[in-house]
Amino acid sequence: FNQIHKKFFKKFKKNILAEINLDTKIIVKKFLIHKNITLNKKIICLQFRDQNFYTGPKTRGTNFEIVEPIVDYLLKKNFVVVRFISKYSAHTFADKRKDYLEINIDDEISKKIQFSFINESSLVICYQGGIHSMNQIVKTPFLQINSIPLNINGLIKPTDKIISKKFFSTVEKKYLSFAEIKKRNLHLYVDIRSTKKNSVDIIDNSLDEILDSINEIIDNKKSENTLF
């Protein structure tokens, strides 16, 4: 699937599939000033679905415990960090950190603000759904974490990166390769019946895997739309 996206990009040379008619730079600047956030730093946006929205490793969710160290790491790297939340989002910690901002997405105005930040940011880190569809209309690189099932991946740009959840065979005592995952149709089905039949546990991305992928993108290393 990533190879198809890569061939599409090379053939049609498209970075974006639509024209943007919002002045996203002005919207972001005014919002940051209003929230007393530093203006001269690069921005990284985050959106995760935690256990209050999705439950269990077979979903596209991310354990909330991993969000806080990601935020702290990015703040130490001198980024402004913007996390998009909803009424379902787990515990927030907006008041404890300078240059960290949470935006509740609950109406059309907040959606325009969200899009403006995505368009003006240096990186978007997201799950497999929601804002990942905006990838096709902005030039911002996207990092999609905890991707599952493997056949649903909409990132198309060479600067994007996808990292999937891992499949651990409890019988063979090893992680399955992509060839083995495909052979067992686990790239299509990750329900209880399929995982039980194939004796596999699904494992979330580790903090190190996510941080390594973040560094690869912000250090401008070419990812070629890699999935691992």
Side-chain angles (χ1 to χ4, degrees):
F1 34 86
N2 284 296
Q3 190 64 28
I4 292 172
H5 293 159
K6 182 179 173 183
K7 287 180 178 178
F8 175 89
F9 180 86
K10 283 187 173 181
K11 182 175 180 180
F12 296 103
K13 303 295 183 184
K14 280 286 187 179
N15 269 331
I16 56 173
L17 303 181
E19 294 297 326
I20 299 168
N21 56 16
L22 284 175
D23 192 339
T24 57
K25 192 177 293 294
I26 293 296
I27 291 172
V28 167
K29 183 177 181 179
K30 287 183 176 180
F31 197 88
L32 291 176
I33 291 172
H34 177 69
K35 296 293 184 179
N36 197 30
I37 302 291
T38 306
L39 291 178
N40 60 348
K41 293 183 178 180
K42 292 182 178 180
I43 299 167
I44 291 184
C45 296
L46 313 176
Q47 187 185 44
F48 306 122
R49 292 300 191 199
D50 54 54
Q51 54 265 40
N52 285 4
F53 193 93
Y54 289 128
T55 303
K58 297 180 181 65
T59 71
R60 293 171 284 172
T62 297
N63 288 330
F64 183 76
E65 290 73 19
I66 208 169
V67 176
E68 188 167 359
I70 292 173
V71 169
D72 285 339
Y73 178 80
L74 293 172
L75 291 175
K76 287 178 182 177
K77 298 277 280 186
N78 210 31
F79 289 98
V80 169
V81 181
V82 179
R83 180 180 172 227
F84 303 124
I85 62 172
S86 72
K87 62 182 179 180
Y88 301 106
S89 299
H91 345 283
T92 58
F93 37 83
D95 295 337
K96 300 178 183 178
R97 291 156 172 81
K98 177 178 170 55
D99 289 335
Y100 172 69
L101 178 64
E102 291 181 343
I103 302 177
N104 189 33
I105 309 301
D106 57 3
D107 57 24
E108 291 304 312
I109 293 176
S110 62
K111 288 178 182 177
K112 288 182 179 179
I113 293 170
Q114 178 187 49
F115 176 78
S116 296
F117 270 97
I118 288 171
N119 194 50
E120 296 299 324
S121 66
S122 297
L123 173 64
V124 173
I125 306 169
C126 65
Y127 74 106
Q128 194 172 1
I131 63 172
H132 93 149
S133 59
M134 295 186 189
N135 171 266
Q136 300 178 30
I137 57 173
V138 298
K139 295 181 179 179
T140 307
F142 275 53
L143 169 62
Q144 181 177 292
I145 68 171
N146 283 320
S147 302
I148 193 172
L150 303 184
N151 67 316
I152 304 175
N153 291 291
L155 307 189
I156 64 170
K157 302 191 297 294
T159 53
D160 298 331
K161 188 173 181 65
I162 300 166
I163 52 176
S164 72
K165 295 193 178 188
K166 301 179 289 293
F167 292 76
F168 184 79
S169 170
T170 58
V171 175
E172 301 170 77
K173 304 298 181 186
K174 68 166 190 173
Y175 289 109
L176 299 182
S177 67
F178 282 108
E180 292 168 325
I181 291 170
K182 184 175 182 296
K183 184 177 180 180
R184 303 175 199 200
N185 281 330
L186 289 169
H187 64 303
L188 301 173
Y189 309 109
V190 288
D191 53 86
I192 293 174
R193 183 177 179 180
S194 299
T195 53
K196 187 175 181 180
K197 174 185 175 182
N198 288 283
S199 301
V200 297
D201 290 333
I202 299 177
I203 312 297
D204 282 3
N205 297 141
S206 69
L207 178 61
D208 284 342
E209 287 173 335
I210 295 171
L211 296 184
D212 284 346
S213 295
I214 290 171
N215 287 329
E216 181 176 295
I217 294 175
I218 63 179
D219 292 340
N220 294 317
K221 295 177 181 178
K222 194 171 183 181
S223 70
E224 290 289 1
N225 206 314
T226 304
L227 174 71
F228 64 78

